[in-house]
Amino acid sequence: MARHVVLVGLMGSGKTTVGHRLAARLDRHFVDADAALEEIADRTIAEIFEQDGEAAFRDLEADTFEELLEHHEPCVIAGGGGLVLRSDNRVRLMRRDVTVVFLDASPRFLASRVEGRTHRPLLHGEEPAGAVLSRLHAQRAPLYAEVADITVDVEPFHERGDEPRRSLADRVAVLVLAHEAEVAV
Ligand code: S3P
């Protein structure tokens, strides 16, 4: 039974870049949930946060995710970092036909990855990115763990290789196929 794969994890963990490559390995469509939401809303995430606030963004995020899961062909979805905050999303992530991969990393590493990027409203308040990511990591790690079928620490891939995202995608593809085979039995 081929199924949807959803990548979860904090901002900077590499969900989108790894997701692209993973989809190619698994021969499935790739969908970036944030990009899909922006297309549906016809506004950027930054605009939605600014004009309507975070709660309105979370409603749109949940609606978009529900819509994406109904996609009839199995696909690889890169979820936004806060997807796990809502219990209705977590229930969907725990569905049997959804394989969830948690890309984990330390707040320090994540802060180095998001440096200089400007499109994430949660990282543009007074608080430094490292402090925001530490807080979010403490708050969300248990939620990611609750829904994850597979957890991968991304840091060793970055420390080791010259093509970390490619080797990460290779590793995740092996783990996903093994998980799907196990669940199908
Ligand atoms: C968010 C993460 C972002 C985006 C929004 C909120 C979060 O997605 O959904 O800015 O709450 O962590 P990425 O994790 O893809 O950057």
Side-chain angles (χ1 to χ4, degrees):
M1 184 190 4
R3 60 194 57 225
H4 296 304
V5 178
V6 184
L7 298 172
V8 299
L10 283 178
M11 297 173 273
S13 57
K15 299 177 298 273
T16 302
T17 44
V18 173
H20 257 297
R21 290 171 171 80
L22 177 65
R25 307 272 186 299
L26 298 177
D27 197 20
R28 297 179 205 180
H29 289 294
F30 172 72
V31 187
D32 182 84
D34 284 342
L37 181 156
E38 289 185 331
E39 204 177 311
I40 292 169
D42 198 22
R43 282 185 294 169
T44 64
I45 289 173
E47 285 167 345
I48 299 166
F49 264 77
E50 199 184 310
Q51 295 162 4
D52 300 341
E54 181 170 347
F57 167 76
R58 297 294 170 203
D59 288 343
L60 277 171
E61 182 177 49
D63 290 348
T64 306
F65 185 53
E66 185 181 12
E67 180 91 18
L68 292 177
L69 285 187
E70 297 319 317
H71 200 277
H72 60 281
E73 284 173 37
C75 56
V76 173
I77 301 170
L83 186 65
V84 294
L85 291 174
R86 296 259 303 243
S87 61
D88 48 351
N89 291 334
R90 296 202 298 281
V91 167
R92 291 188 182 108
L93 286 164
M94 286 189 275
R95 270 168 43 173
R96 203 166 167 267
D97 64 334
V98 176
T99 299
V100 178
V101 181
F102 169 28
L103 298 183
D104 196 15
S106 68
R108 195 161 162 225
F109 171 84
L110 296 167
S112 73
R113 310 299 302 179
V114 300
E115 220 170 54
R117 316 287 299 265
T118 56
H119 62 285
R120 295 181 170 108
L122 291 181
L123 298 178
H124 295 107
E126 304 274 286
E127 204 181 355
V132 175
L133 288 161
S134 291
R135 184 165 47 74
L136 295 182
H137 193 275
Q139 184 187 84
R140 295 179 183 175
L143 303 177
Y144 295 133
E146 181 187 335
V147 297
D149 298 298
I150 295 161
T151 298
V152 178
D153 180 1
V154 307
E155 284 187 57
F157 289 85
H158 287 268
E159 281 155 15
R160 264 199 317 258
D162 41 72
E163 293 212 60
R165 302 229 145 129
R166 177 161 13 145
S167 39
L168 246 171
D170 287 344
R171 177 75 188 132
V172 172
V174 169
L175 293 171
V176 166
L177 291 173
H179 175 77
E180 289 182 345
E182 198 181 301
V183 175
V185 174

